């Protein structure tokens, strides 16, 4: 199918990548399709008691011409004001059309999988709205409110002009923001203009649609013979008994994108807009509100020509279909004229009207029909058009390409892509037509990393719980989408709000099991105040090395593997071997490699390579260090990332440092639970303080026999101490013989001022440019004690998120035990401890999730740089709607609800919606000539 679609590509196609809507009987798109598929008529019929409660005069209720029916929405008085930053008063005075449009805009973008806060392109809004009856019936008559709030604020909240610009403001959309009005065709005209905006490059994504809500909702209408409204509250489009339509409320939005971009970005495509057109009937018709065959036929044909589609291949028409005795025959005559320009086939194209299900939605009518056609293409089914028994005798179906589809039918492709046309015609003659085509077939989802990070967020804990429940229900349905695509969409396609939850899951069943019970050992939840959360990297020193450290990352993360490979290539002439043979040996060489990694000449280059590669991976994922701290060798990694050394120079120095140390006599090191000054008084002259890791944790370095003697003495005094697994006495006087040789190496490299701040082991505070660029500093760094406790104190005064970057968790432990812990920093490790036997990959994902929980911004596209994932439709945000409503003053009689002064008159014959059809014999001539009277 994809070949058939793409072979007919014009380069002007627009993809529909998301939708949202509220329609009578349907709170979302899924319910809407279910009702369409099942042939549900969602028109409400009201009791006298319901209407009386809305203030309808009892005399009007007794009038046989008063039809007590409409298509209505639930809870139009409710809105999630806090989510959008509205005060209660602002929400109360805002037209519910604007409020629901705003919520649907949020939902439509989520359905498309895009968060405007992180999307780099321009997002435009094209839409229209019906007149504000909330303003007329509830606000304007409330004089105290108007005086208290002010007319300007009321206007801002209710006038048509501010529908789209408010959505752009609240959602941070920077593309064109156009409110337009063409009566009933408004939202389909908006769709056409949105397509043009995309094709002209004014935006990269466009929202198009409309909203129409009448207040009060529970109200009827006076039937007039020949008028637009039906005698009995049912719309019978194209039927012999058709006498008009019935009003309805609704909001609908589609999300559009250039097809080429949507395919490149692997968006979920619901359908393709192949072409669209708009025009106006002009004056050659019987009246301003009357339709015109030629005008409609031209716009239909223009859309087909733009689409470069043969009408023979269009097998469904979602018609304007108001069910008026004059409008329906004119519409079929126009369609037939347009189709018969290139085909003589008859009876092959199904048609229907969504107005038979939900009524006429005025400014939202066009987008409702568009969404119906899109859903029909997506599900490959044509839903029934309701209330059709016998065709209107003025419609010549027998010699047309069309038939009214009255039952749910399989939509067969018949050798070409499924295609549909959608029409919408407005009072005043602005016509719109859109040609749709089914979405191209997509390739199966590619393989992903083992394990997935699922993220959820909401504006409140209650909404987070509901979002979790909705995700569980979605996963239970087994949509067929890969869990990796679920994770991808949640990460890229949802705004990161303050209440957050994360889980690392192996597969869908694992995710369901953990989320259903919200397993506290695996599902982590937090609340974070908004704001930037800088991260500091901590690089460990010698002692954390082991065979196969970060092996899973090397196997599964291309960026990590590339950096390790690069380090190995640079180091090979300095080491005389391929570093990877020691890091990741085969099983027969494992023992030999383990012994090699205990040798300082290889340990230090190996640790540097792993720490450097892990750091670069974090940076590629959007977690750059705002500050850094290293322990001994770890400071070299920090300096390299800060651009003090190039990678080549850093590896040269690390290899030389390790080799020179290896040539020294063996030494030993002892970690002692005493403060530096207290311990110094107990040291022999041949022992040195090598590191101050905490205020009461100091490392001593020196000859093995002297260290052994000190260990016995301290143990006898009840002082806790522990021998470290090292081969040499680092940071002691035993390093003296290699200071000058090492200085000669440092002098051969280029040293630059640091571009990222980091802590100095030598001074215990922030490195200065003069120090970093002084070769003697690096010599002193080799000899002087590591003042890590002081460094950590300085770091915690600036940064509250610490991330250990490298194997093991030694620095994580030190940071958590530091007295500055009273500031409650978030301390995380990149990799598990060797004894934990956990998956490197899963642990790293878990840490990524914990960083996100802490409020750290993640570059999700960078995270997926090596994968081709796609966005998929997922459950929408669970709005926490509360009632924000101004009721009309109870004493006032609202316009249009009192009894009429005289019986209703027949409609004006010049108005096409109201033409009394009492002279059927005259219709064919008027259809042919349409001459101005």
């Amino acid at each position: 199918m994809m070949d058939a679609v793409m072979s007919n590509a014009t380069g002007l196609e627009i993809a529909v990548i998301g939708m949202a809507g509220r329609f009578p009987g349907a709170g979302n798109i899924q319910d809407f399709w279910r009702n369409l598929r099942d042939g549900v008529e969602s028109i409400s019929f009201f009791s006298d008691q319901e209407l009386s409660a809305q203030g309808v005069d009892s005399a009007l209720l007794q009038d046989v011409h008063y039809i007590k029916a409409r298509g209505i929405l639930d809870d139009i008085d409710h809105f999630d004001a806090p989510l959008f930053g509205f005060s209660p008063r602002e929400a109360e005075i805002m037209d519910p059309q604007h409020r629901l449009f705003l919520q649907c805009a949020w939902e439509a973008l989520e359905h498309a999988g895009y968060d405007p806060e992180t999307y780099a392109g321009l997002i435009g809004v094209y839409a229209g709205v019906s007149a504000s009856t909330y303003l007329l019936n509830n606000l304007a008559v409330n004089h105290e409110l108007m005086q208290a709030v002010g007319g300007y604020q009321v206007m801002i909240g209710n006038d048509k002009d501010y529908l789209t610009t408010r959505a752009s403001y609240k959602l941070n959309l920077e593309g064109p923001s156009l409110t337009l009005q063409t009566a009933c065709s408004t939202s389909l005209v908006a769709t056409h203009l949105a397509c043009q905006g995309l094709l002209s490059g004014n935006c990269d994504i466009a929202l198009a649609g409309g909203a129409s809500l009448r207040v009060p909702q529970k109200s009827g209408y006076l039937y007039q013979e020949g008028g637009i409204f039906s005698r009995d509250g049912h719309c019978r489009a194209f039927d012999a008994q058709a006498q008009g339509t019935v009003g309805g409320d609704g909001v609908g939005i589609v999300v559009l994108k250039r097809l080429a971009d949507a395919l490149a970005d692997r968006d979920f495509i619901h359908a393709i807009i192949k072409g669209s057109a708009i025009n106006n009937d002009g004056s050659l018709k019987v009246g301003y509100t009357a339709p015109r065959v030629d005008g409609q036929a031209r716009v239909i044909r223009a859309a087909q020509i733009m689409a470069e589609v043969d009408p023979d291949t269009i097998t469904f028409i979602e018609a304007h279909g108001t069910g008026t005795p004059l409008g329906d025959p004119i519409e079929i005559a126009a369609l037939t004229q347009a189709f018969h320009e290139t085909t003589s086939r008859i009876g092959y194209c199904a048609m229907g009207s969504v107005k038979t299900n939900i009524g006429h939605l005025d400014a939202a009518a066009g987008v409702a029909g568009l969404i119906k056609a899109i859903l029909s293409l997506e599900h490959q089914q044509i839903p029934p058009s309701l209330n059709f028994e016998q065709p209107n005798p003025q419609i010549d179906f027998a010699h047309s390409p069309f038939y009214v589809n009255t039952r749910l039918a399989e939509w067969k492709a018949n050798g070409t892509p499924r295609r549909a046309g959608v029409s919408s015609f407005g009072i005043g003659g602005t016509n719109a037509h859109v040609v749709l085509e089914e979405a191209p077939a997509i390739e199966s989802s590619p393989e992903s990393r083992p394990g997935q990070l699922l993220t959820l967020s909401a504006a409140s804990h209650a909404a987070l719980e509901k979002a979790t429940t909705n995700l569980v229900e979605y996963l239970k349905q087994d949509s067929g989408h890969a869990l990796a695509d679920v994770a991808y969409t949640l990460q890229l396609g949802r705004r990161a709000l303050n209440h957050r939850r994360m889980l690392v899951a192996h597969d869908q069943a694992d995710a369901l099991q953990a989320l259903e019970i919200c397993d506290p050992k695996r599902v982590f939840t937090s609340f974070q105040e908004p704001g930037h959360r800088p991260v500091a990297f901590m690089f460990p020193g010698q002692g954390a090395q082991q065979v196969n450290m970060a092996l899973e990352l090397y196997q599964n993360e291309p960026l990590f593997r590339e950096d390790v490979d690069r380090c190995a290539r640079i180091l090979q002439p300095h080491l005389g071997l391929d570093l990877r043979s020691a890091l990741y040996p085969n099983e027969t060489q494992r023992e030999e490699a383990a012994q090699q990694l205990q040798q300082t000449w290889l340990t230090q280059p190996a640790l540097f390579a792993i720490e450097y590669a892990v750091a670069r991976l974090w940076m590629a994922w959007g977690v750059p260090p705002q500050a850094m701290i290293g322990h001994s060798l770890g400071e070299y990694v920090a300096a390299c990332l800060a651009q003090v050394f190039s990678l080549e120079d850093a590896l040269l120095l690390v290899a030389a440092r390790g080799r020179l140390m290896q040539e020294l006599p063996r030494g030993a090191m002892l970690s002692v639970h005493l403060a530096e000054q207290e311990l110094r008084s107990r040291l022999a002259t041949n022992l040195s303080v090598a590191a101050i890791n905490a205020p009461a944790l100091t490392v001593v370095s020196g000859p093995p026999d002297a260290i052994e003697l000190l260990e016995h003495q301290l143990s006898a005094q009840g002082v806790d101490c522990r021998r470290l697994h090292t081969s040499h006495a680092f940071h002691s006087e035993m390093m003296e013989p290699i200071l000058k040789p090492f200085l000669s190496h440092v002098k051969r490299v280029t040293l630059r001022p640091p571009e990222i701040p980091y802590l100095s082991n030598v001074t215990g505070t922030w490195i200065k440019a003069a120090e970093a660029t002084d070769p003697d500093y690096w010599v002193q760094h080799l000899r002087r004690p590591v003042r890590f406790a002081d460094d950590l104190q300085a770091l915690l005064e600036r940064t509250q998120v610490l991330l250990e970057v490298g194997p093991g968790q030694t620095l994580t432990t030190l940071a958590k035990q530091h007295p500055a812990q009273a500031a409650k920093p978030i301390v995380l490790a990149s990799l598990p401890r060797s004894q934990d036997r956990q998956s490197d990959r899963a642990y790293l994902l878990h840490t990524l999730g914990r960083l996100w929980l802490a409020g750290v911004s993640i570059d999700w596209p960078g995270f997926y740089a090596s994968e081709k994932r796609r966005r998929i439709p997922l459950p929408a945000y669970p709005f926490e709607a509360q009632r924000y409503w101004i009721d009309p003053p109870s004493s006032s009689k609202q316009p249009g609800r009192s009894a009429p002064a005289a019986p209703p008159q027949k409609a004006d014959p010049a108005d096409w919606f109201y033409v009394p059809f009492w002279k059927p014999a005259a219709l064919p001539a008027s259809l042919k000539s349409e001459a101005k009277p």
Side-chain angles (χ1 to χ4, degrees):
M1 182 189 306
M2 182 169 66
D3 291 340
V5 173
M6 302 313 292
S7 65
N8 194 51
T10 66
L12 302 178
E13 288 85 359
I14 301 296
V16 180
I17 62 171
M19 298 177 284
R22 304 284 188 278
F23 302 106
N28 53 51
I29 293 296
Q30 293 75 27
D31 292 344
F32 184 46
W33 170 250
R34 191 178 303 113
N35 289 343
L36 293 172
R37 180 197 64 196
D38 297 343
V40 175
E41 185 182 42
S42 300
I43 303 300
S44 297
F45 289 82
F46 311 117
S47 67
D48 287 353
Q49 291 80 4
E50 288 176 302
L51 294 171
S52 179
Q54 295 295 321
V56 180
D57 192 282
S58 59
L60 187 57
L61 294 176
Q62 302 306 312
D63 192 319
V64 295
H65 297 288
Y66 187 70
I67 311 304
K68 307 164 186 177
R70 283 194 86 247
I72 64 173
L73 303 184
D74 294 331
D75 300 326
I76 68 164
D77 54 346
H78 283 58
F79 179 55
D80 193 342
L83 179 66
F84 295 98
F86 288 107
S87 70
R89 175 58 81 188
E90 285 178 309
E92 286 175 344
I93 65 171
M94 190 189 306
D95 189 330
Q97 298 179 116
H98 293 226
R99 301 189 321 199
L100 286 186
F101 182 86
L102 182 56
Q103 287 192 171
C104 281
W106 176 295
E107 187 175 315
L109 284 167
E110 283 201 338
H111 193 244
Y114 281 92
D115 171 18
E117 292 290 347
T118 57
Y119 177 60
L122 295 175
I123 301 178
V125 190
Y126 301 77
V129 64
S130 296
S132 177
T133 52
Y134 182 66
L135 171 64
L136 294 174
N137 295 337
N138 292 43
L139 303 183
V141 294
N142 192 321
H143 303 299
E144 291 183 4
L145 172 75
M146 295 296 289
Q147 290 179 351
V149 175
Y152 181 72
Q153 290 302 320
V154 172
M155 178 185 68
I156 291 292
N158 291 268
D159 191 77
K160 293 179 178 183
D161 287 5
Y162 309 113
L163 175 76
T164 58
T165 51
R166 176 178 286 106
S168 294
Y169 173 66
K170 288 296 182 179
L171 300 179
N172 192 24
L173 313 180
E174 297 182 347
S177 190
L178 304 181
T179 300
L180 56 110
Q181 303 299 148
T182 63
C184 320
S185 61
T186 292
S187 54
L188 202 63
V189 171
T191 302
H192 167 77
L193 293 180
C195 293
Q196 296 301 307
L198 288 165
L199 293 175
S200 65
N202 289 332
C203 54
D204 304 293
I205 289 176
L207 304 181
S212 181
L213 297 172
R214 177 177 170 180
V215 177
Q217 281 200 297
K218 292 183 178 179
S219 59
Y221 58 89
L222 281 170
Y223 167 74
Q224 292 178 293
E225 184 181 349
I228 185 175
F229 291 115
S230 162
R231 182 190 295 273
D232 58 4
H234 300 284
C235 179
R236 295 180 169 83
F238 313 112
D239 189 75
Q241 301 302 313
Q243 293 179 321
T245 189
V246 58
D249 296 335
V251 182
I253 297 176
V254 292
V255 185
L256 309 176
K257 194 174 184 182
R258 291 179 289 271
L259 177 61
D261 293 343
L263 291 171
D265 294 340
R266 303 181 67 82
D267 295 322
F268 188 97
I269 300 173
H270 300 270
I272 296 170
I273 296 177
K274 289 286 290 181
S276 63
I278 59 173
N279 71 359
N280 190 273
D281 288 335
S283 62
L284 295 180
K285 54 183 181 178
V286 297
Y288 170 69
T289 60
R292 180 183 175 197
V293 171
D294 285 350
Q296 293 182 14
R298 286 170 185 157
V299 80
I300 293 165
R301 188 65 189 131
Q304 294 171 352
I305 291 170
M306 181 187 175
E308 298 185 16
V309 161
D310 190 328
D312 263 343
T313 67
I314 298 173
T315 51
F316 174 64
I317 294 291
E318 173 56 29
H320 187 64
T322 55
T324 56
L326 179 61
D328 284 358
I330 286 179
E331 182 169 7
I332 300 303
L335 280 164
T336 301
Q337 179 177 313
F339 273 61
H340 277 178
E341 283 194 27
T342 59
T343 181
S344 58
R345 290 179 62 198
I346 60 173
Y348 70 90
C349 184
M351 68 182 312
S353 170
V354 74
K355 293 176 179 65
T356 64
N357 300 88
I358 60 176
H360 192 335
L361 305 192
D362 193 50
V367 74
L370 180 67
I371 290 174
K372 172 191 170 182
I374 292 167
L375 291 170
S376 299
L377 284 167
E378 189 172 359
H379 293 277
Q380 300 180 3
Q381 293 178 309
I382 301 176
S385 195
L386 309 182
N387 306 320
F388 181 87
E389 295 179 2
Q390 296 294 327
N392 184 324
Q394 300 303 315
I395 298 176
D396 187 7
F397 278 119
H399 297 92
S400 81
F402 311 106
Y403 66 93
V404 178
N405 186 69
T406 58
R407 60 180 180 81
L408 179 66
E410 178 189 356
W411 193 344
K412 297 180 180 180
N414 296 326
T416 62
R418 297 170 182 85
R419 294 186 177 125
V422 182
S423 292
S424 190
F425 311 126
I427 289 178
T430 295
N431 308 308
H433 190 78
V434 171
V435 176
L436 294 173
E437 184 171 278
E438 65 182 325
I442 58 175
E443 302 171 359
S444 59
S445 192
E447 291 295 322
S448 179
R449 303 168 166 109
Q452 301 301 328
L453 171 61
L454 303 180
T455 57
L456 290 166
S457 73
S460 73
H461 182 73
L464 182 62
E465 292 296 325
K466 179 61 177 174
T468 304
T469 299
N470 291 345
L471 180 60
V472 167
E473 292 305 313
Y474 172 85
L475 294 174
K476 283 181 177 178
Q477 294 171 10
D478 192 15
S479 64
H481 294 300
L483 187 65
D485 291 334
V486 174
Y488 178 77
T489 305
L490 289 173
Q491 292 156 1
L492 273 78
R494 298 295 185 268
R495 183 164 299 187
L497 301 171
N498 295 346
H499 292 264
R500 302 185 179 190
R501 178 167 287 164
M502 54 79 57
L503 162 71
V504 175
H506 306 301
D507 52 32
Q508 186 163 311
D510 184 43
L512 262 176
Q513 182 180 21
L515 287 172
E516 274 198 292
I517 62 173
C518 217
D519 185 349
K521 294 181 180 179
R522 298 186 57 203
V523 179
F524 292 82
T525 304
S526 77
F527 170 80
Q528 292 297 331
E529 292 289 350
H532 179 62
R533 299 300 295 270
V535 177
F537 284 2
M538 302 190 298
F539 299 103
Q542 196 163 333
Q545 70 277 0
Q546 59 177 312
V547 170
N548 288 336
M549 51 183 168
L551 174 60
E552 287 187 4
L553 302 190
Y554 188 80
Q555 293 171 332
N556 295 291
E557 297 295 338
L559 292 176
F560 178 84
R561 182 168 57 251
E562 288 171 12
D563 280 321
V564 171
D565 289 348
R566 183 183 175 196
C567 289
R569 287 194 298 271
I570 295 171
L571 283 167
Q572 186 150 6
H574 302 300
L575 301 179
L577 57 73
D578 187 330
L579 178 65
R580 292 165 292 189
S581 65
L583 285 173
Y584 308 120
N586 59 41
E587 198 59 38
T588 60
Q589 297 172 324
R590 183 184 177 95
E591 185 175 344
E592 179 185 353
Q595 293 175 355
Q596 282 183 316
L597 277 181
Q598 298 307 314
Q599 303 299 310
T600 298
W601 68 273
L602 190 58
T603 299
Q604 295 191 10
L607 283 172
F608 182 100
I610 296 300
E611 292 174 20
Y612 175 82
V614 173
R616 293 258 298 171
L617 187 61
W618 280 121
M619 294 165 74
W621 291 354
V623 187
Q626 302 299 310
M628 294 180 286
I629 181 174
H631 194 290
S632 190
L633 171 72
E635 188 172 329
Y636 280 78
V637 186
C640 180
L641 293 172
Q643 303 301 312
V644 173
F645 313 118
S646 68
L647 177 61
E648 290 76 9
D649 285 347
L651 290 171
L652 182 152
L653 292 180
V654 168
R657 185 178 188 263
R659 184 175 62 255
L660 290 170
M661 288 179 171
Q662 186 73 46
E663 294 169 357
L664 291 170
R666 294 186 66 81
M669 301 180 76
L670 184 71
S671 178
V672 182
H673 281 268
L674 286 176
E676 177 188 2
Q677 296 305 321
E678 187 177 359
L679 180 59
R680 280 188 183 277
S681 62
R682 307 186 187 199
L683 298 183
T685 57
N686 59 348
L687 292 177
S688 304
V689 171
I692 302 94
N693 289 333
L697 184 62
T698 309
V699 176
V700 181
S701 184
D705 55 347
I707 288 292
E708 184 175 3
L709 178 60
L710 178 64
E711 183 179 11
H712 287 310
Q713 292 172 345
L714 293 175
S715 297
Q717 296 168 10
V719 178
D720 289 337
C721 50
R722 178 175 61 87
R723 187 76 68 91
L724 301 183
H725 297 290
T726 61
S727 58
H728 293 80
F730 306 124
H731 300 282
S732 75
E733 66 176 22
M734 293 186 71
M735 298 289 108
E736 295 285 348
I738 66 170
L739 298 185
K740 286 185 178 180
F742 185 63
L743 178 61
S744 66
H745 287 288
V746 181
K747 286 183 175 180
R748 293 207 302 266
V749 305
T750 301
L751 300 175
R752 305 174 187 84
E755 297 181 8
I756 303 173
Y758 67 89
L759 279 305
S760 162
N761 287 173
V762 177
T763 65
T765 188
W766 298 99
I767 192 78
K768 297 176 182 177
E771 294 167 339
T773 56
D774 182 359
D776 189 61
Y777 170 83
W778 296 101
V779 175
Q780 294 302 314
H781 181 274
L782 188 153
R783 170 64 181 86
R784 300 269 294 276
V786 176
R787 311 202 67 83
F788 187 77
D790 294 337
D791 286 344
L792 200 54
Q793 177 70 43
L795 183 64
L796 290 170
E797 291 172 359
R798 177 183 292 192
T799 308
Q800 289 297 298
V801 181
L802 276 56
L803 176 63
E804 184 165 3
V805 179
Q809 299 183 11
T810 301
L811 303 190
T812 300
T813 302
L814 292 175
K816 288 180 177 180
Q817 294 174 350
H818 196 279
Q821 248 287 324
K824 297 189 181 301
I826 296 167
V827 185
L828 300 168
S830 300
L831 295 168
R833 296 173 298 184
S834 58
Q835 62 267 34
D836 291 342
R837 299 188 178 279
Q838 295 185 49
S839 160
D840 293 340
R841 168 66 186 161
Y843 196 94
L844 191 72
L845 277 183
H846 178 82
T847 298
L848 181 66
R850 294 292 295 272
L851 287 169
W852 179 79
L853 282 185
V856 175
S857 296
I858 308 299
D859 179 5
W860 296 115
F863 177 70
Y864 287 102
S866 62
E867 292 191 42
K868 291 184 177 180
R869 302 255 58 88
R870 62 173 50 95
R871 292 173 171 87
I872 58 174
L874 292 177
Y877 185 84
F879 297 117
E880 294 184 284
Q882 301 179 51
R883 191 172 193 267
Y884 298 96
W885 198 253
I886 303 295
D887 289 309
S890 58
S891 60
S892 66
K893 292 288 185 180
Q894 298 304 309
R897 286 191 278 165
S898 59
Q905 301 298 312
K906 290 181 179 180
D908 181 355
D911 187 335
W912 83 276
F913 278 135
Y914 294 84
V915 171
F917 195 50
W918 56 77
K919 295 182 180 179
L923 180 62
S926 66
L927 285 177
K928 291 177 183 178
S929 66
E930 294 182 320
K932 189 173 182 179

